[in-house]
Amino acid sequence: MTTIAERAAAAAGRTDTAPAAEPGETFTSPAAEPLPDLSGYVPREGEDWDMVPVHIAWLRVRRDIAYIGKGDDYKENGKTKYNFRGYERTVAAFGPITLKHGVSVIPHRVTPSHRDAKSGKGTPMRESTTKITWRVYGPKGDFFEMESEGESLDYADKGTAKAQTIAQRVALLVAGLIPTGAPDSDESNIERGEAPPRTAGSYRDEILEQGTSRQRMAQINYEIKQVGLYNTKVVNEVGDEEELGAFLFRIGQERFAGGGQ
């Protein structure tokens, strides 16, 4: 007898099913395989859709897919840095199964935004963020809505399209509650380090900045008293040593004597 995962894989043209996990075990992502060509897929003769409400049809889609492993890998210099579930793999799983159950996932409202950005090497790029409201229609024509967002960076004119495909992948995987077989995020823990204490010199530099406001100067006065730096000597703007508190007061008087902010 075949399992649900095996039946779902067969419908999608895949063979990379994962065995059911025993209690205490985790799924292991299968190796990546070529994705099937779904361009000619149509329901077989006699496979009429059951006229059920959309939430029942969607539950059937979830039941038949069951699992999509992280079978795609991202490489740099020929070495795999991490595995992921790509857009094509996700659509290859959902495409035939949604067709089988008479389900359509249609973008209903698209809200894009863009801004100029730069890569780490300073190359001009375009950042695209897209929020999409999706309508999931069932075989009877009723629907429910869900929202997702995607973002991308691109050198040319593909940023919006990339952001939309990411949003679609996120919507399908989240609404489908599809497991990955990856380690749970709670299995790792990163201890937050304490921020290094500020030095008298860093306060001096901030005080000298023309953009430091009167309100910020008052806050600095409070901070340096709290951390015991008020009487610490610093080298002022003319190269002489001066206590930080006195330096703060003098610069404040000079800069805001006319009532400026």
Side-chain angles (χ1 to χ4, degrees):
M1 180 178 293
T2 60
T3 65
I4 290 176
E6 289 169 342
R7 292 196 298 273
R14 305 192 316 269
T15 58
D16 55 338
T17 59
E22 298 295 332
E25 294 182 344
T26 58
F27 287 108
T28 300
S29 297
E33 293 184 2
L35 295 172
D37 180 8
L38 302 177
S39 58
Y41 182 89
V42 293
R44 292 191 297 272
E45 194 69 30
E47 285 186 340
D48 293 334
W49 298 318
D50 291 340
M51 290 294 118
V52 297
V54 62
H55 67 283
I56 298 299
W58 185 251
L59 285 173
R60 292 177 177 180
V61 170
R62 289 178 51 198
R63 175 196 63 195
D64 285 355
I65 292 179
Y67 171 84
I68 303 174
K70 291 188 175 183
D72 301 306
D73 54 1
Y74 175 78
K75 294 183 178 181
E76 281 189 4
N77 300 321
K79 294 183 179 180
T80 299
K81 296 199 69 175
Y82 58 84
N83 299 106
F84 65 100
R85 295 183 292 190
Y87 172 77
E88 291 295 335
R89 184 167 296 276
T90 302
V91 172
F94 275 90
I97 301 302
T98 52
L99 187 58
K100 172 184 175 183
H101 294 292
V103 173
S104 297
V105 182
I106 308 296
H108 174 64
R109 186 180 300 108
V110 179
T111 308
S113 62
H114 310 278
R115 73 180 185 92
D116 292 328
K118 290 186 177 181
S119 69
K121 297 181 179 179
T123 304
M125 301 187 74
R126 188 73 163 167
E127 180 183 80
S128 300
T129 302
T130 302
K131 180 178 181 179
I132 302 179
T133 300
W134 304 90
R135 282 190 174 179
V136 180
Y137 287 89
K140 298 176 67 174
D142 55 338
F143 66 87
F144 64 84
E145 291 186 348
M146 57 184 177
E147 289 185 345
S148 64
E149 292 189 8
E151 64 179 57
S152 69
L153 280 172
D154 191 66
Y155 296 103
D157 58 352
K158 304 298 189 295
T160 299
K162 289 179 180 179
Q164 289 179 349
T165 58
I166 292 170
Q168 184 179 16
R169 173 169 56 87
V170 169
L172 292 172
L173 294 175
V174 172
L177 296 177
I178 306 300
T180 67
D184 195 292
S185 59
D186 288 339
E187 292 181 11
S188 61
N189 181 51
I190 300 175
E191 296 291 338
R192 185 186 298 273
E194 294 295 329
R198 290 197 62 174
T199 63
S202 70
Y203 277 114
R204 174 205 58 206
D205 295 341
E206 185 178 1
I207 293 166
L208 283 173
E209 290 178 2
Q210 290 297 320
T212 303
S213 66
R214 179 193 294 269
Q215 290 80 3
R216 177 55 189 155
M217 297 284 263
Q219 178 65 25
I220 291 174
N221 183 64
Y222 171 80
E223 291 178 10
I224 62 178
K225 287 179 179 178
Q226 290 295 110
V227 298
L229 294 176
Y230 192 85
N231 297 317
T232 301
K233 290 187 176 182
V234 295
V235 177
N236 62 24
E237 75 278 17
V238 296
D240 296 331
E241 284 193 342
E242 187 175 2
E243 290 185 354
L244 184 59
F247 172 71
L248 170 65
F249 179 79
R250 178 175 62 80
I251 295 296
Q253 287 291 99
E254 294 173 359
R255 185 175 301 166
F256 305 114
Q261 297 297 312

